[in-house]
Amino acid sequence: MQDTKERIVSLADQLIKTRGYNAFSYKDISDPLEIKNAAIHYHFPTKTDLGIAVIDIEVERFILLSGKWATQPEDKQLKQLFETFNKKNKEGLVCLMGSLSPDYETFPSALQEKVTGMSSTFLNWTSECLEKGREKGLFHFDGDAYDRALLVMTNLLASLLLCRVMGNKVFSRITNQLLKDLNAGK
Amino acid sequence: MQDTKERIVSLADQLIKTRGYNAFSYKDISDPLEIKNAAIHYHFPTKTDLGIAVIDIEVERFILLSGKWATQPEDKQLKQLFETFNKKNKEGLVCLMGSLSPDYETFPSALQEKVTGMSSTFLNWTSECLEKGREKGLFHFDGDAYDRALLVMTNLLASLLLCRVMGNKVFSRITNQLLKDLNAGK
DNA sequence: TTGATTACTTACTTACAAGTAAGTAACTTC
DNA sequence: GAAGTTACTTACTTGTAAGTAAGTAATCAA
């Protein structure tokens, strides 16, 4: 019965993306699942263990998804990435990176390393996607692909944060302009 | 003696920018200032009141600073804005928006409104700066100035978050490329 | 069928966060 | 010089977070 364990991680994932890591407690998980907080400690002895599990699942899910896109042209792949952010926005969520990075300093090093690893995974993928797409003439941009990936990732990450504060039409404004920019001069 | 009150706000500001709003407590302020937690409650009855004071000071400071830049050409003004972010980065801080926006849903409405107001102030200033600079031929970009301001603000905000996680050379990579983009085609 | 393992619950503990009521010492105003 | 007012402290209360020790019921493995 991995059912409870999966539900715990899934709820923790949602809570982190809505309220933030330091603002949710085991009670926020045990109440809706109708279990005791000790049941969570059974599966995840510490909150850090739970945080790590949430990140592991997120990275796993991304690797699986991006693997499925791999046969498509790079401009389509990038749009798929944007679509995953769009989906989060529609659900009123921010991305894991956007939620965890401000709290980074409050994390034990094991959790910090996981966040850094996740960030690398996303940045490397985006960087490669942009570089290959540029080689094929699907994107047009100046400078290093990794620098461009940094710009794209920061736009996406913070767009979800700003949507919280300014309303969620912000997302389409940002992504539309960003996609136009990348194909500019075509 | 407004001295204590100012020190409380200043420390709260730093704590929010390093650990996040939900991760600091009155003890983190009362200990270093060698006062009792009740002294903080005297000046700021609730944590919300303290959070609001921190935002008010930040916005005030920005209006003062940007007023001083107003005589400079817009490309210099934008660089001044970048410089305020650079300074935060060097101190290991994120910006207030980057720290508060992920926790937005956990805030009482009075604090939420302050965050939204602060965000509007920054976005409107950036939008006007970009538009006027474009009219003068100092910037070159496509699309609506407000959309461009959204892109610039999300780059700046999230660059500080990513610096936490990926090391702080990320900042110069992002800002250098961003400034090149805005003058591209010159 | 016994002994181990799994997946919990019951019932705690420790620590700390936010906030409050009542008191006080110093200054200020009239 | 008496009556506020300011800026605190002392000493609490209430609530909740994270974590643990010991017990239990059900399934598994030999």
Side-chain angles (χ1 to χ4, degrees):
Chain A
M1 278 288 136
Q2 286 292 86
D3 215 47
T4 302
K5 190 170 183 177
E6 276 167 30
R7 274 184 230 179
I8 291 169
V9 178
S10 171
L11 234 179
D13 180 79
Q14 272 227 206
L15 285 163
I16 291 173
K17 288 170 180 167
T18 46
R19 311 178 49 78
Y21 183 82
N22 288 317
F24 88 89
S25 75
Y26 276 29
K27 199 168 184 294
D28 297 322
I29 292 171
S30 58
D31 278 356
L33 295 188
E34 289 176 302
I35 56 177
K36 302 295 160 182
N37 75 329
I40 308 174
H41 283 286
Y42 169 74
H43 292 289
F44 305 98
T46 68
K47 201 178 177 183
T48 301
D49 296 316
L50 180 53
I52 287 172
V54 168
I55 295 177
D56 281 342
I57 297 281
E58 180 88 353
V59 172
E60 226 172 80
R61 194 161 37 198
F62 176 74
I63 289 170
L64 212 83
L65 260 178
S66 60
K68 283 184 188 160
W69 308 334
T71 53
Q72 298 177 28
E74 281 72 15
D75 57 338
K76 301 288 175 200
Q77 288 189 46
L78 193 72
K79 276 186 184 167
Q80 295 275 18
L81 178 70
F82 279 41
E83 193 45 41
T84 66
F85 278 81
N86 186 32
K87 198 184 158 202
K88 275 167 192 157
N89 185 39
K90 279 180 180 162
E91 294 170 43
L93 305 174
V94 301
C95 65
L96 251 197
M97 279 299 304
S99 178
L100 294 179
S101 55
D103 298 344
Y104 189 81
E105 298 293 325
T106 70
F107 296 161
S109 59
L111 190 52
Q112 289 185 338
E113 281 157 28
K114 281 287 168 182
V115 175
T116 302
M118 171 170 61
S119 179
S120 289
T121 302
F122 294 151
L123 279 169
N124 289 335
W125 184 88
T126 307
S127 179
E128 276 189 40
C129 176
L130 289 170
E131 182 57 39
K132 284 182 192 159
R134 177 161 65 173
E135 281 164 18
K136 290 190 196 169
L138 299 170
F139 299 130
H140 299 81
F141 59 86
D142 295 324
D144 198 84
Y146 189 81
D147 292 352
R148 189 60 51 181
L150 283 172
L151 286 164
V152 171
M153 285 303 304
T154 50
N155 284 142
L156 287 174
L157 183 156
S159 71
L160 296 185
L161 297 178
L162 266 193
C163 281
R164 277 275 170 81
V165 173
M166 304 296 291
N168 55 0
K169 353 113 211 139
V170 161
F171 183 78
S172 60
R173 277 176 169 259
I174 287 176
T175 51
N176 286 338
Q177 190 57 56
L178 188 50
L179 287 174
K180 273 184 210 158
D181 287 355
L182 286 168
N183 289 306
K186 197 177 187 171
Chain B
M1 278 287 137
Q2 285 294 84
D3 216 46
T4 302
K5 191 170 183 179
E6 276 166 30
R7 273 184 230 179
I8 291 168
V9 179
S10 170
L11 234 178
D13 180 78
Q14 271 225 215
L15 285 164
I16 290 173
K17 287 169 180 170
T18 45
R19 311 177 50 77
Y21 183 83
N22 288 317
F24 88 91
S25 75
Y26 276 28
K27 198 168 184 298
D28 297 322
I29 293 171
S30 57
D31 278 356
L33 296 189
E34 290 177 300
I35 54 177
K36 301 296 159 181
N37 75 326
I40 308 173
H41 282 286
Y42 170 73
H43 292 289
F44 305 99
T46 69
K47 199 177 177 182
T48 300
D49 296 315
L50 179 53
I52 287 173
V54 168
I55 296 177
D56 281 342
I57 297 282
E58 179 89 352
V59 172
E60 226 171 81
R61 196 162 35 199
F62 176 74
I63 289 171
L64 212 83
L65 260 179
S66 61
K68 283 184 188 161
W69 309 334
T71 53
Q72 300 176 29
E74 280 73 16
D75 56 339
K76 301 288 174 199
Q77 288 189 46
L78 192 73
K79 276 187 184 165
Q80 294 277 16
L81 177 71
F82 280 40
E83 193 45 42
T84 65
F85 278 80
N86 187 31
K87 197 184 159 203
K88 275 168 192 157
N89 185 38
K90 279 180 181 163
E91 294 170 42
L93 305 174
V94 302
C95 66
L96 252 196
M97 278 301 303
S99 177
L100 294 179
S101 55
D103 298 343
Y104 190 80
E105 297 292 326
T106 71
F107 296 161
S109 58
L111 190 53
Q112 288 185 338
E113 281 157 28
K114 281 287 168 183
V115 176
T116 302
M118 172 170 60
S119 178
S120 288
T121 301
F122 294 151
L123 280 169
N124 288 335
W125 182 89
T126 307
S127 178
E128 276 190 38
C129 176
L130 289 170
E131 182 57 39
K132 284 182 192 159
R134 176 161 65 174
E135 282 165 16
K136 290 190 195 169
L138 300 170
F139 298 128
H140 299 81
F141 59 86
D142 295 325
D144 198 85
Y146 189 82
D147 293 353
R148 190 59 52 183
L150 283 171
L151 286 164
V152 171
M153 285 303 305
T154 51
N155 283 142
L156 287 174
L157 183 156
S159 71
L160 296 186
L161 297 177
L162 267 193
C163 280
R164 277 274 171 81
V165 174
M166 303 297 290
N168 54 1
K169 355 113 213 139
V170 161
F171 183 79
S172 60
R173 278 176 169 258
I174 287 176
T175 50
N176 286 339
Q177 190 57 57
L178 188 50
L179 287 173
K180 273 184 209 158
D181 286 357
L182 286 168
N183 289 306
K186 198 177 190 171

